[in-house]
């Protein structure tokens, strides 16, 4: 739909201004329960087991998104026809784990995992073949499964298909969050100040509640009707 809108804009830019805001996987998801990249704690080590290989994910900080969207509205002449694609950085999960360890002082690691093992993990095996959209009809041949959707998701990042213009993002938002370490450090401080606890405390499964889930569909346990 966004591509169609921008295509119309190419021919009618003087009559119909349009801009698109393209986000990405929230970095908040890497410390949240019930996401495709929820960590485990194994023998005291925070562990991300995902099928990413040596790829990198352009994670987005939710707190920066509002600034970017406001910029689009405040600069209509420049924003007209733009697809503003944002991210913190392209972060490998090895680097992300190292950043988590540096900030918290607790060990963390990334373990590359093949897709079969990933989908057979305790947290995902029960949902893998359910519809990606939980209101979709599982008997409809056009319905995509959770497995198919997120297999494509991981392959996109694994093979470096998606790019970002970080020089442009620096220009638009000079104070943006630029690294995983910066985000972890800020989130650790905010968690302590708000009473949620440190990052280390917040990734312990025994401390997770429904309110810990950053995704609304996860907090609702994929229930409800449209």
């Amino acid at each position: 739909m966004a591509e169609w809108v921008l295509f119309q804009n190419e021919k009618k830019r003087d009559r119909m201004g349009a801009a698109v805001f393209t986000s990405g996987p929230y970095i908040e998801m890497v410390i949240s329960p019930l996401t495709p990249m929820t960590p485990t704690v194994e023998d005291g080590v925070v562990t991300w087991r995902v099928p990413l290989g040596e790829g990198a994910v352009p994670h987005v900080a939710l707190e920066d998104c509002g600034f970017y969207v406001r910029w689009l509205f405040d600069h209509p002449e420049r924003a007209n026809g733009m697809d503003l694609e944002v991210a913190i950085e392209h972060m490998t999960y090895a680097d992300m784990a190292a950043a988590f360890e540096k900030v918290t002082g607790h060990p963390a690691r990334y373990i590359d995992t093949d897709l079969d093992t990933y989908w057979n993990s305790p947290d995902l095996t029960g949902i893998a073949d359910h519809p990606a959209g939980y209101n979709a009809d599982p008997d409809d041949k056009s319905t995509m499964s959770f497995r198919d959707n997120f297999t494509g998701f991981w392959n996109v990042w694994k093979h470096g298909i998606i790019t970002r213009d970080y020089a442009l993002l620096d220009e638009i938002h000079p104070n943006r969050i630029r690294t995983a370490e910066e985000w972890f450090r800020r989130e650790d401080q905010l968690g302590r100040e708000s009473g949620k606890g440190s990052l280390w405390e917040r990734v312990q499964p025994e401390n997770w509640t429904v309110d810990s889930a950053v995704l609304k569909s996860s907090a609702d346990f994929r229930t409800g009707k449209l």
Side-chain angles (χ1 to χ4, degrees), residues 118-130 147:
Y118 175 76
W119 287 116
N120 285 317
S121 66
D123 291 338
L124 295 173
T125 187
I127 197 175
D129 295 317
H130 287 212
R147 182 197 306 269

Side-chain angles (χ1 to χ4, degrees), residues 31 44-46 48 96-108 181 184-185 187-189 192 197-204:
I31 60 167
V45 181
V46 176
W48 286 274
M96 187 184 74
F100 184 95
E101 183 169 325
K102 183 176 181 180
V103 169
T104 65
H106 293 276
E181 181 183 339
F184 281 137
R185 200 169 295 283
E187 190 65 17
D188 185 68
Q189 178 182 348
R192 292 172 187 270
S198 67
L199 277 181
W200 172 252
E201 292 169 324
R202 289 164 63 189
V203 298
Q204 305 304 312

Side-chain angles (χ1 to χ4, degrees), residues 129-182:
D129 295 317
H130 287 212
Y134 58 80
N135 281 289
D137 181 358
D139 295 323
D140 188 326
K141 292 181 180 180
S142 66
T143 294
M144 180 180 289
S145 70
F146 202 82
R147 182 197 306 269
D148 288 343
N149 186 39
F150 282 98
T151 293
F153 171 94
W154 286 114
N155 281 335
V156 163
W157 315 128
K158 182 176 183 176
H159 298 292
I161 295 171
I162 302 297
T163 61
R164 292 289 186 264
D165 185 345
Y166 291 107
L168 174 63
L169 299 182
D170 290 343
E171 177 189 349
I172 290 173
H173 189 0
N175 296 319
R176 72 182 185 86
I177 296 171
R178 298 169 189 246
T179 66
E181 181 183 339
E182 182 181 352

